[in-house]
Amino acid sequence: MSGGQDGPLAGRTAIVTGASKGIGLGIARRLVQDGARVVITARGEEGLRRAVASLGAGRALGVAGRADDPDHQVDAVARAIERFGGVDLLVNNAAVNPAYGPLMEVDHTAARKIFEVNVLAALAWTRQAYHAWMGEHGGAVVNVSSIAGLRPAKGLAMYGAGKAMLVHITQSLAVELAPRVRVNAVAPGIVTTEFATPLYAGREAEVASAYPLGRLGEPDDIAGLVAFLLSGAAGWITGQLVVADGGVSLVAAE
């Protein structure tokens, strides 16, 4: 894949966490198409190698590690600056959900892991990028939340609580980091990825029937929105949560 040298993100460098597959890889691919260079992170080195190969080694760099590991965060930001000359854009996409089930039965260790990866790590990545580059040079951040953070979703209460907190953090950071850095969030509905498979596997048509647009999401649906929010076209947008869910959040829950 070759990047668009004259695209809306030409000359910019982005870090996308959790980007060896799924929504994260879709976002990284769109950013490269729009002219950016990308540093992608994930836990598995082999998955990252495949992802970088699909993006183009000259436009992408993979850095393996856990999203909630401070040393990994420092390393990825430093390598982005060393390899591509800066960290202009950040997409906090990495997420886990080891606590599927009723809130009253949630394992506290699993709950803590959700907050560490889905919430605190996003804040830590933003701090690191800000102190290393964005604070002086400016930039934009997009946090990937979920419609599970907007209203109760069966089996996803703890995951949703973390995503709701991420939205509040987004709004607070938008105020704190302005005017140098814009911070926004997106809230996808169910997107057909490996991560979301338990929510639709074997019954995709049934699940999709609840969506006014008649289908589940695809990574490209989220990638285009994220790319817009990172671009100059969204230069007067900050602190916002943009829902991309095929209209399902407009339908009353059963």
Side-chain angles (χ1 to χ4, degrees):
M1 172 182 293
S2 60
Q5 301 300 313
D6 298 321
L9 299 178
R12 300 293 190 91
T13 298
I15 293 177
V16 185
T17 68
S20 63
K21 55 187 176 182
I23 291 175
L25 180 55
I27 291 170
R29 183 176 294 114
R30 177 57 184 265
L31 300 187
V32 169
Q33 290 173 347
D34 284 357
R37 299 155 299 192
V38 297
V39 174
I40 60 173
T41 77
R43 286 174 292 179
E45 293 187 7
E46 181 57 35
L48 278 174
R49 280 194 290 269
R50 290 194 298 267
V52 167
S54 73
L55 296 169
R59 307 291 298 176
L61 172 68
V63 182
R66 292 185 296 103
D68 59 338
D69 178 0
D71 291 336
H72 170 57
Q73 297 159 6
V74 170
D75 181 47
V77 170
R79 291 177 66 180
I81 295 172
E82 178 183 4
R83 175 74 175 271
F84 295 127
V87 180
D88 309 291
L89 314 169
L90 171 65
V91 181
N92 287 307
N93 171 71
V96 298
N97 184 30
Y100 184 85
L103 191 60
M104 291 296 288
E105 299 175 10
V106 68
D107 177 78
H108 283 199
T109 298
R112 278 190 286 271
K113 188 64 174 178
I114 287 175
F115 286 116
E116 288 168 0
V117 176
N118 300 7
V119 181
L120 296 181
L123 176 58
W125 279 100
T126 305
R127 284 176 173 168
Q128 184 62 31
Y130 180 83
H131 291 305
W133 186 263
M134 291 184 184
E136 180 178 354
H137 303 277
V141 178
V142 172
N143 295 321
V144 179
S145 182
S146 168
I147 62 169
L150 304 180
R151 69 182 191 186
K154 185 178 180 180
L156 297 175
M158 188 55 62
Y159 177 80
K163 291 300 188 179
M165 183 180 289
L166 184 59
V167 172
H168 188 84
I169 285 175
T170 297
Q171 295 168 339
S172 296
L173 286 175
V175 174
E176 290 185 20
L177 303 187
R180 302 291 291 171
V181 179
R182 296 184 300 105
V183 188
N184 290 290
V186 298
I190 296 178
V191 177
T192 53
T193 64
E194 180 181 334
F195 182 80
T197 297
L199 302 177
Y200 67 86
R203 54 191 187 95
E204 183 172 339
E206 175 190 351
V207 176
S209 68
Y211 283 61
L213 291 186
R215 67 174 177 87
L216 301 183
E218 299 176 358
D220 284 350
D221 292 317
I222 310 306
L225 174 58
V226 171
F228 164 71
L229 289 172
L230 292 174
S231 75
W236 212 44
I237 301 174
T238 196
Q240 301 305 304
L241 172 68
V242 183
V243 176
D245 69 346
V248 74
S249 59
L250 303 176
V251 182
E254 296 182 356

